[in-house]
């Protein structure tokens, strides 16, 4: 029997979000219905609402979530009803050329539930990043559910489903930060702070946080940055060089997604160093660099998709490290809110004093 639940939809470009009754079908083959317990409010949800991702309105928003599997469809063996899971938006296929070559974190054919959730009148909903978790229950592909230790509260665990995983993964997976490395992080929102946490976890010797907002720099320091640079008052490239013996950092993580900050990252790294782009640019942005500098400075320029994470490997590991007190994922939760407060949370994002608002159901 399809179920009726409350969920937050974005009805049309720039229209306020609202609560609607959502029809959740029973899970078909390879699918699961999850009772959502918590879901963080991410910039990507706001981009959907603004029409910045595509025009497939209405969207069922929310994608940074944890909850309990309620039911599974035919052929599902990895998760079972009652399992506590974090939802991911890159369920790997196991069949594409990346998966077959043993690099499933690059999977080029990730998948979502086949059936659609709808409004009461039958209008099909587009779930944000194939999840749609600002709802009491949601339908996903079973591969989007990763079982983790239930001892960690859902408002904390769910954050690994998107921004926090992207940032930690940018440092430990894409940037390959190692013991003794110097690391700079440009842009210290939720993603950049998570990169700071990842760099610290990996044993970086120096972690330099760069931002244009002093509140963000203070928070980055709490998260493990050893030095901060306010790039409104100091040239970040010069400052990073000065803090690294005149050379630049081994790994520079760009967590803003703009050409200016990418250029800073490019020139703030040491010879043969690594730049990681985890900030997401917009379609009109262009980058111009002297090709001789690209060649002459060597090293690698990498992009980080979702922290190049493999949910089945990384989510349980990070949850365990949090339980052991070796990382503090709770520090990313600024406030917990109700399902009705998502619109207000979007407004608060702009004020810059929130790392994450998390809807608790
Ligand atoms: N130089 C340095 N920092 C900057 C600059 C700049 N020119 N412009 C903005 N920032 C800082 C902001 O002050 C803020 O602290 O970058 C940070 C961005 O943080 P958030 O807006 O909270 O965004 P976040 O959720 O961390 O995501 C960052 O990663 O996944 C992507 O789409 C996401 O592109 C976005 C980026
Ligand atoms: Zn694949
Ligand atoms: Zn997100």
């Amino acid at each position: 029997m399809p179920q009726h639940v409350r969920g937050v939809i974005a009805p049309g470009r720039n229209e306020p979000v609202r609560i609607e009754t959502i029809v959740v079908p029973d899970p078909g083959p390879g699918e699961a219905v999850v009772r959502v317990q918590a879901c963080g409010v991410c910039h990507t949800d706001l981009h959907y609402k603004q029409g910045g991702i595509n025009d497939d309105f209405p969207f069922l928003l929310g994608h940074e979530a944890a909850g309990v599997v309620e039911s599974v469809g035919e052929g599902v063996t990895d998760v079972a009803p009652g399992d506590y899971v974090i939802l991911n938006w890159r369920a790997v296929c196991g069949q594409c050329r990346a998966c077959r070559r043993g690099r499933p974190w690059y999977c080029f054919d990730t998948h979502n539930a086949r059936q659609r959730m709808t409004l009461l009148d039958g209008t099909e909903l587009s779930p944000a990043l194939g999840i749609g978790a600002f709802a009491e229950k949601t339908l996903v592909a079973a591969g989007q559910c990763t079982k983790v230790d239930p001892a960690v509260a859902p408002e904390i665990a769910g954050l690994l489903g998107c921004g926090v995983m992207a940032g930690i993964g940018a440092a430990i997976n894409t940037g390959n930060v190692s013991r003794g490395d110097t690391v700079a992080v440009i842009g210290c929102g939720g993603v950049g702070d998570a990169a700071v946490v990842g760099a610290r976890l990996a044993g970086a010797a120096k972690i330099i946080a760069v931002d244009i907002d002093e509140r963000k720099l203070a928070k980055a320091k709490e998260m493990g940055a050893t030095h901060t640079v306010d790039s409104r008052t100091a040239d970040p490239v010069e400052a990073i060089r000065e803090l690294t013996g005149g050379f630049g950092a081994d790994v520079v993580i760009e967590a803003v997604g703009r050409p200016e900050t990418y250029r800073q990252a490019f020139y703030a790294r040491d010879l043969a160093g690594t730049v990681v782009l985890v900030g997401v640019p917009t379609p009109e942005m262009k980058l111009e660099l002297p090709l001789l500098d690209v060649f002459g400075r060597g090293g690698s320029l990498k992009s980080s998709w979702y922290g190049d994470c493999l949910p089945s490997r990384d989510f349980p590991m990070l949850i365990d490290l949090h339980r052991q007190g070796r990382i503090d994922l709770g520090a990313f939760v600024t406030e917990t809110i109700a399902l009705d407060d998502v619109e207000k949370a979007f407004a608060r994002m702009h004020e810059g004093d929130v790392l994450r608002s998390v809807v608790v159901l």
Side-chain angles (χ1 to χ4, degrees), residues 80-98:
D83 283 350
Y84 180 59
V85 295
I86 299 176
L87 300 183
N88 75 73
W89 43 268
R90 283 183 59 80
V92 302
C93 76
Q95 303 295 327
C96 72
R97 59 200 189 282

PDB file of all heavy atoms in Angstrom, residues 80-98:
ATOM      1  N   ALA A  80      18.234  -4.315   5.444  1.00  0.00           N
ATOM      2  CA  ALA A  80      16.983  -4.979   5.831  1.00  0.00           C
ATOM      3  C   ALA A  80      16.177  -4.024   6.709  1.00  0.00           C
ATOM      4  O   ALA A  80      16.734  -3.080   7.281  1.00  0.00           O
ATOM      5  CB  ALA A  80      17.315  -6.254   6.608  1.00  0.00           C
ATOM      6  N   PRO A  81      14.858  -4.247   6.815  1.00  0.00           N
ATOM      7  CA  PRO A  81      14.048  -3.398   7.691  1.00  0.00           C
ATOM      8  C   PRO A  81      14.660  -3.344   9.095  1.00  0.00           C
ATOM      9  O   PRO A  81      15.142  -4.348   9.613  1.00  0.00           O
ATOM     10  CB  PRO A  81      12.688  -4.117   7.701  1.00  0.00           C
ATOM     11  CG  PRO A  81      12.633  -4.815   6.370  1.00  0.00           C
ATOM     12  CD  PRO A  81      14.045  -5.243   6.096  1.00  0.00           C
ATOM     13  N   GLY A  82      14.685  -2.119   9.657  1.00  0.00           N
ATOM     14  CA  GLY A  82      15.260  -1.936  10.988  1.00  0.00           C
ATOM     15  C   GLY A  82      16.697  -1.431  10.960  1.00  0.00           C
ATOM     16  O   GLY A  82      17.196  -0.928  11.961  1.00  0.00           O
ATOM     17  N   ASP A  83      17.366  -1.543   9.820  1.00  0.00           N
ATOM     18  CA  ASP A  83      18.754  -1.062   9.742  1.00  0.00           C
ATOM     19  C   ASP A  83      18.804   0.467   9.832  1.00  0.00           C
ATOM     20  O   ASP A  83      17.998   1.162   9.202  1.00  0.00           O
ATOM     21  CB  ASP A  83      19.405  -1.469   8.406  1.00  0.00           C
ATOM     22  CG  ASP A  83      19.817  -2.935   8.383  1.00  0.00           C
ATOM     23  OD1 ASP A  83      19.779  -3.584   9.445  1.00  0.00           O
ATOM     24  OD2 ASP A  83      20.177  -3.418   7.291  1.00  0.00           O
ATOM     25  N   TYR A  84      19.780   0.953  10.573  1.00  0.00           N
ATOM     26  CA  TYR A  84      20.015   2.404  10.682  1.00  0.00           C
ATOM     27  C   TYR A  84      20.986   2.786   9.567  1.00  0.00           C
ATOM     28  O   TYR A  84      22.087   2.212   9.477  1.00  0.00           O
ATOM     29  CB  TYR A  84      20.623   2.699  12.047  1.00  0.00           C
ATOM     30  CG  TYR A  84      20.941   4.149  12.328  1.00  0.00           C
ATOM     31  CD1 TYR A  84      19.949   5.124  12.305  1.00  0.00           C
ATOM     32  CD2 TYR A  84      22.237   4.533  12.666  1.00  0.00           C
ATOM     33  CE1 TYR A  84      20.243   6.448  12.599  1.00  0.00           C
ATOM     34  CE2 TYR A  84      22.538   5.860  12.965  1.00  0.00           C
ATOM     35  CZ  TYR A  84      21.531   6.811  12.926  1.00  0.00           C
ATOM     36  OH  TYR A  84      21.833   8.114  13.226  1.00  0.00           O
ATOM     37  N   VAL A  85      20.579   3.713   8.724  1.00  0.00           N
ATOM     38  CA  VAL A  85      21.381   3.998   7.525  1.00  0.00           C
ATOM     39  C   VAL A  85      21.582   5.501   7.307  1.00  0.00           C
ATOM     40  O   VAL A  85      20.787   6.325   7.746  1.00  0.00           O
ATOM     41  CB  VAL A  85      20.712   3.412   6.251  1.00  0.00           C
ATOM     42  CG1 VAL A  85      20.661   1.889   6.317  1.00  0.00           C
ATOM     43  CG2 VAL A  85      19.308   3.978   6.028  1.00  0.00           C
ATOM     44  N   ILE A  86      22.673   5.803   6.612  1.00  0.00           N
ATOM     45  CA  ILE A  86      22.887   7.142   6.054  1.00  0.00           C
ATOM     46  C   ILE A  86      22.588   7.024   4.561  1.00  0.00           C
ATOM     47  O   ILE A  86      22.994   6.044   3.927  1.00  0.00           O
ATOM     48  CB  ILE A  86      24.349   7.598   6.253  1.00  0.00           C
ATOM     49  CG1 ILE A  86      24.698   7.661   7.750  1.00  0.00           C
ATOM     50  CG2 ILE A  86      24.580   8.965   5.595  1.00  0.00           C
ATOM     51  CD1 ILE A  86      26.165   8.007   8.021  1.00  0.00           C
ATOM     52  N   LEU A  87      21.864   8.009   4.019  1.00  0.00           N
ATOM     53  CA  LEU A  87      21.549   7.972   2.588  1.00  0.00           C
ATOM     54  C   LEU A  87      22.682   8.610   1.793  1.00  0.00           C
ATOM     55  O   LEU A  87      23.278   9.595   2.223  1.00  0.00           O
ATOM     56  CB  LEU A  87      20.230   8.704   2.319  1.00  0.00           C
ATOM     57  CG  LEU A  87      19.016   8.116   3.054  1.00  0.00           C
ATOM     58  CD1 LEU A  87      17.749   8.866   2.666  1.00  0.00           C
ATOM     59  CD2 LEU A  87      18.862   6.628   2.725  1.00  0.00           C
ATOM     60  N   ASN A  88      22.992   8.030   0.639  1.00  0.00           N
ATOM     61  CA  ASN A  88      24.015   8.628  -0.242  1.00  0.00           C
ATOM     62  C   ASN A  88      23.419   8.878  -1.605  1.00  0.00           C
ATOM     63  O   ASN A  88      22.436   8.239  -1.990  1.00  0.00           O
ATOM     64  CB  ASN A  88      25.247   7.716  -0.330  1.00  0.00           C
ATOM     65  CG  ASN A  88      24.993   6.503  -1.196  1.00  0.00           C
ATOM     66  OD1 ASN A  88      24.924   6.589  -2.422  1.00  0.00           O
ATOM     67  ND2 ASN A  88      24.815   5.341  -0.562  1.00  0.00           N
ATOM     68  N   TRP A  89      24.016   9.845  -2.323  1.00  0.00           N
ATOM     69  CA  TRP A  89      23.466  10.158  -3.643  1.00  0.00           C
ATOM     70  C   TRP A  89      24.349   9.641  -4.791  1.00  0.00           C
ATOM     71  O   TRP A  89      24.225  10.071  -5.924  1.00  0.00           O
ATOM     72  CB  TRP A  89      23.139  11.640  -3.808  1.00  0.00           C
ATOM     73  CG  TRP A  89      24.111  12.653  -3.298  1.00  0.00           C
ATOM     74  CD1 TRP A  89      24.103  13.234  -2.060  1.00  0.00           C
ATOM     75  CD2 TRP A  89      25.195  13.256  -4.007  1.00  0.00           C
ATOM     76  NE1 TRP A  89      25.124  14.146  -1.962  1.00  0.00           N
ATOM     77  CE2 TRP A  89      25.800  14.185  -3.140  1.00  0.00           C
ATOM     78  CE3 TRP A  89      25.709  13.111  -5.303  1.00  0.00           C
ATOM     79  CZ2 TRP A  89      26.909  14.961  -3.506  1.00  0.00           C
ATOM     80  CZ3 TRP A  89      26.807  13.879  -5.672  1.00  0.00           C
ATOM     81  CH2 TRP A  89      27.394  14.787  -4.772  1.00  0.00           C
ATOM     82  N   ARG A  90      25.208   8.680  -4.469  1.00  0.00           N
ATOM     83  CA  ARG A  90      25.963   8.022  -5.533  1.00  0.00           C
ATOM     84  C   ARG A  90      25.991   6.513  -5.282  1.00  0.00           C
ATOM     85  O   ARG A  90      27.003   5.959  -4.856  1.00  0.00           O
ATOM     86  CB  ARG A  90      27.399   8.581  -5.609  1.00  0.00           C
ATOM     87  CG  ARG A  90      27.454   9.966  -6.286  1.00  0.00           C
ATOM     88  CD  ARG A  90      28.874  10.487  -6.437  1.00  0.00           C
ATOM     89  NE  ARG A  90      29.756   9.637  -7.221  1.00  0.00           N
ATOM     90  CZ  ARG A  90      29.794   9.589  -8.558  1.00  0.00           C
ATOM     91  NH1 ARG A  90      29.011  10.355  -9.272  1.00  0.00           N
ATOM     92  NH2 ARG A  90      30.637   8.792  -9.171  1.00  0.00           N
ATOM     93  N   ALA A  91      24.863   5.875  -5.535  1.00  0.00           N
ATOM     94  CA  ALA A  91      24.809   4.412  -5.381  1.00  0.00           C
ATOM     95  C   ALA A  91      25.543   3.820  -6.584  1.00  0.00           C
ATOM     96  O   ALA A  91      25.131   4.003  -7.727  1.00  0.00           O
ATOM     97  CB  ALA A  91      23.362   3.943  -5.346  1.00  0.00           C
ATOM     98  N   VAL A  92      26.620   3.120  -6.327  1.00  0.00           N
ATOM     99  CA  VAL A  92      27.476   2.668  -7.438  1.00  0.00           C
ATOM    100  C   VAL A  92      26.859   1.457  -8.128  1.00  0.00           C
ATOM    101  O   VAL A  92      26.125   0.672  -7.531  1.00  0.00           O
ATOM    102  CB  VAL A  92      28.915   2.363  -6.964  1.00  0.00           C
ATOM    103  CG1 VAL A  92      29.511   3.599  -6.314  1.00  0.00           C
ATOM    104  CG2 VAL A  92      28.950   1.188  -6.008  1.00  0.00           C
ATOM    105  N   CYS A  93      27.177   1.319  -9.439  1.00  0.00           N
ATOM    106  CA  CYS A  93      26.500   0.308 -10.260  1.00  0.00           C
ATOM    107  C   CYS A  93      27.220  -1.037 -10.279  1.00  0.00           C
ATOM    108  O   CYS A  93      26.607  -2.070 -10.491  1.00  0.00           O
ATOM    109  CB  CYS A  93      26.315   0.827 -11.680  1.00  0.00           C
ATOM    110  SG  CYS A  93      27.821   0.817 -12.685  1.00  0.00           S
ATOM    111  N   GLY A  94      28.544  -1.016 -10.101  1.00  0.00           N
ATOM    112  CA  GLY A  94      29.302  -2.265 -10.153  1.00  0.00           C
ATOM    113  C   GLY A  94      29.588  -2.771 -11.555  1.00  0.00           C
ATOM    114  O   GLY A  94      30.267  -3.779 -11.732  1.00  0.00           O
ATOM    115  N   GLN A  95      29.069  -2.077 -12.568  1.00  0.00           N
ATOM    116  CA  GLN A  95      29.140  -2.577 -13.952  1.00  0.00           C
ATOM    117  C   GLN A  95      29.862  -1.641 -14.917  1.00  0.00           C
ATOM    118  O   GLN A  95      30.305  -2.075 -15.974  1.00  0.00           O
ATOM    119  CB  GLN A  95      27.712  -2.754 -14.516  1.00  0.00           C
ATOM    120  CG  GLN A  95      26.820  -3.660 -13.704  1.00  0.00           C
ATOM    121  CD  GLN A  95      27.314  -5.086 -13.706  1.00  0.00           C
ATOM    122  OE1 GLN A  95      27.886  -5.553 -14.694  1.00  0.00           O
ATOM    123  NE2 GLN A  95      27.145  -5.774 -12.588  1.00  0.00           N
ATOM    124  N   CYS A  96      29.941  -0.362 -14.590  1.00  0.00           N
ATOM    125  CA  CYS A  96      30.478   0.598 -15.566  1.00  0.00           C
ATOM    126  C   CYS A  96      32.004   0.455 -15.647  1.00  0.00           C
ATOM    127  O   CYS A  96      32.615  -0.300 -14.895  1.00  0.00           O
ATOM    128  CB  CYS A  96      30.101   2.027 -15.169  1.00  0.00           C
ATOM    129  SG  CYS A  96      31.017   2.615 -13.728  1.00  0.00           S
ATOM    130  N   ARG A  97      32.628   1.196 -16.540  1.00  0.00           N
ATOM    131  CA  ARG A  97      34.079   1.031 -16.730  1.00  0.00           C
ATOM    132  C   ARG A  97      34.879   1.419 -15.486  1.00  0.00           C
ATOM    133  O   ARG A  97      35.909   0.811 -15.204  1.00  0.00           O
ATOM    134  CB  ARG A  97      34.539   1.776 -17.979  1.00  0.00           C
ATOM    135  CG  ARG A  97      34.252   3.277 -17.977  1.00  0.00           C
ATOM    136  CD  ARG A  97      34.277   3.805 -19.407  1.00  0.00           C
ATOM    137  NE  ARG A  97      34.217   5.259 -19.452  1.00  0.00           N
ATOM    138  CZ  ARG A  97      33.099   5.957 -19.284  1.00  0.00           C
ATOM    139  NH1 ARG A  97      31.930   5.325 -19.044  1.00  0.00           N
ATOM    140  NH2 ARG A  97      33.117   7.275 -19.337  1.00  0.00           N
ATOM    141  N   ALA A  98      34.394   2.405 -14.725  1.00  0.00           N
ATOM    142  CA  ALA A  98      35.119   2.772 -13.494  1.00  0.00           C
ATOM    143  C   ALA A  98      34.981   1.660 -12.450  1.00  0.00           C
ATOM    144  O   ALA A  98      35.970   1.243 -11.841  1.00  0.00           O
ATOM    145  CB  ALA A  98      34.572   4.086 -12.937  1.00  0.00           C
TER     146      ALA A  98
END
